[in-house]
């Protein structure tokens, strides 16, 4: 069995940035590693993502939203994550089941035990070995995303346009309930989580994350290394 590592945190906290930096470093060091994201990561999952993030889908019922996230997750686990872990590799995932507990549970007020049950069906009970929480004030994260959007929209800009979707567009109180939800999840399982301040410079945060990951991946055979 390989090593499964996830990245969680509020909008704009640097999850995608840090997941990519860790992926590049582990890959350069010869580790068998893949990087994926939720919702999405598979052909079917990316189609489901499009439905979930579409700003026009204002009528989506919370149950529909929960089941669509879970459907995309079920596909990702069965098509990509489990098979790769079974080969002994390292899987990095940008958001995972904890996002459902925080966003649909604490954010939308869905019953947590029900969410745990649905998630267990979707994942077959697979949970990460380690989860990073990039801790950032909700308003700071949303401001980072706004700045990122403005940079992309400036005349002559070449920056890729960041996604601003149906879920980002929810109000501040919702995002604050989500952040409080993450804090509760961390209290429940402190040994799995590493909570790091996302206010630090990108490179420093990357170094901290790498140091936390090293003890876990030491047993993983590197590609091309003698058996
Ligand atoms: N440690 C940091 N300090 C300052 N800015 C950062 C830091 N990390 C990331 N950023 C910037 O914040 C913005 C959001 O980063 P990123 O897309 O990695 O966050 P995310 O958590 O994946 O966001 P989303 O919730 O949209 O998926 C980007 O413009 C990125 O360059
Ligand atoms: Mg991201």
């Amino acid at each position: 069995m390989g090593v499964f590592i996830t990245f969680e945190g509020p909008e704009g906290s640097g999850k995608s940035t840090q997941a990519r930096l860790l992926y590049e470093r582990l890959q350069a060091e010869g580790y068998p590693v893949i990087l994926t994201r939720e919702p999405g990561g598979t052909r079917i999952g990316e189609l489901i993502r499009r439905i979930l993030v579409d700003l026009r889908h204002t009528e989506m019922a919370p149950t529909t939203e929960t089941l669509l996230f879970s459907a995309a997750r079920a596909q990702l686990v069965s098509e990509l994550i489990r098979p790769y872990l079974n080969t002994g590799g390292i899987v990095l995932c940008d958001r995972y089941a904890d996002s459902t507990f925080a966003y649909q549970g604490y954010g939308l007020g869905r019953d947590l035990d029900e969410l745990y049950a649905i998630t267990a069906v979707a994942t077959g009970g697979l949970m990460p070995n380690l989860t990073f929480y990039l801790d950032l004030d909700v308003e700071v994260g949303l401001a980072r995303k706004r700045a990122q959007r403005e940079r992309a929209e400036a005349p002559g800009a070449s920056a890729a346009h960041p996604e601003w979707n149906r879920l980002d567009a929810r109000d501040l109180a919702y995002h604050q309930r989500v952040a409080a939800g993450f804090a509760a999840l961390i209290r429940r399982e402190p040994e799995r989580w590493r909570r790091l301040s996302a206010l630090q410079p990108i490179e420093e945060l990357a170094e901290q994350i790498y140091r936390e990951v090293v003890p876990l991946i030491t047993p993983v055979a590197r590609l091309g290394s003698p058996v």
Side-chain angles (χ1 to χ4, degrees):
M1 202 54 182
V3 180
F4 183 25
I5 299 170
T6 58
F7 292 80
E8 300 283 358
E11 318 298 317
S13 55
K15 299 175 296 296
S16 303
T17 303
Q18 293 301 331
R20 188 179 41 79
L21 287 173
L22 182 62
Y23 170 72
E24 286 167 1
R25 183 155 183 187
L26 296 184
Q27 201 184 37
E29 291 181 349
Y31 285 100
V33 60
I34 55 169
L35 169 63
T36 187
R37 69 162 180 181
E38 274 214 6
T42 63
R43 196 159 58 102
I44 292 167
E46 291 293 332
L47 290 171
I48 296 173
R49 181 186 183 98
R50 272 202 244 164
I51 301 172
L52 277 166
V53 301
D54 195 321
L55 284 161
R56 292 169 304 177
H57 293 171
T58 51
E59 75 277 32
M60 192 181 296
T63 307
T64 312
E65 180 175 311
T66 302
L67 292 173
L68 284 174
F69 272 112
S70 299
R73 182 168 305 136
Q75 187 63 31
L76 185 63
V77 168
S78 103
E79 185 181 326
L80 197 67
I81 298 180
R82 230 182 244 288
Y84 202 76
L85 290 175
N86 285 340
T87 70
I90 303 165
V91 176
L92 309 180
C93 195
D94 185 349
R95 292 199 182 282
Y96 187 63
D98 295 303
S99 280
T100 285
F101 307 141
Y103 284 79
Q104 280 72 45
Y106 291 90
L108 293 183
R110 306 254 343 161
D111 181 72
L112 271 178
D113 287 331
E114 202 177 277
L115 291 178
Y116 284 132
I118 292 169
T119 302
V121 172
T123 62
L126 180 72
M127 284 302 281
N129 301 102
L130 187 66
T131 300
F132 289 101
Y133 184 71
L134 303 184
D135 197 1
L136 191 67
D137 193 72
V138 166
E139 287 177 83
V140 177
L142 292 171
R144 275 187 191 172
K145 289 196 69 162
R146 248 193 320 275
Q148 199 180 9
R149 218 159 22 134
E150 280 160 16
R151 280 197 302 279
E153 281 166 6
S158 57
H161 203 285
E163 187 176 72
W164 178 257
N165 64 45
R166 196 177 59 87
L167 307 163
D168 301 320
R170 289 186 170 145
D171 66 17
L172 192 60
Y174 166 79
H175 289 289
Q176 272 156 351
R177 284 197 301 278
V178 170
F182 274 123
L185 293 171
I186 295 169
R187 280 197 298 276
R188 217 179 251 217
E189 263 183 293
E191 64 296 338
R192 173 163 68 86
W193 291 84
R194 300 289 181 279
R195 183 177 192 159
L196 303 173
S197 165
L199 281 173
Q200 305 174 79
I202 290 175
E203 295 304 329
E204 246 165 71
L205 202 49
E207 192 55 39
Q208 277 187 18
I209 289 172
Y210 178 75
R211 277 203 303 271
E212 294 284 353
V213 163
V214 166
L216 229 76
I217 62 172
T218 307
V220 176
R222 298 201 203 186
L223 302 170
S225 61
V227 190

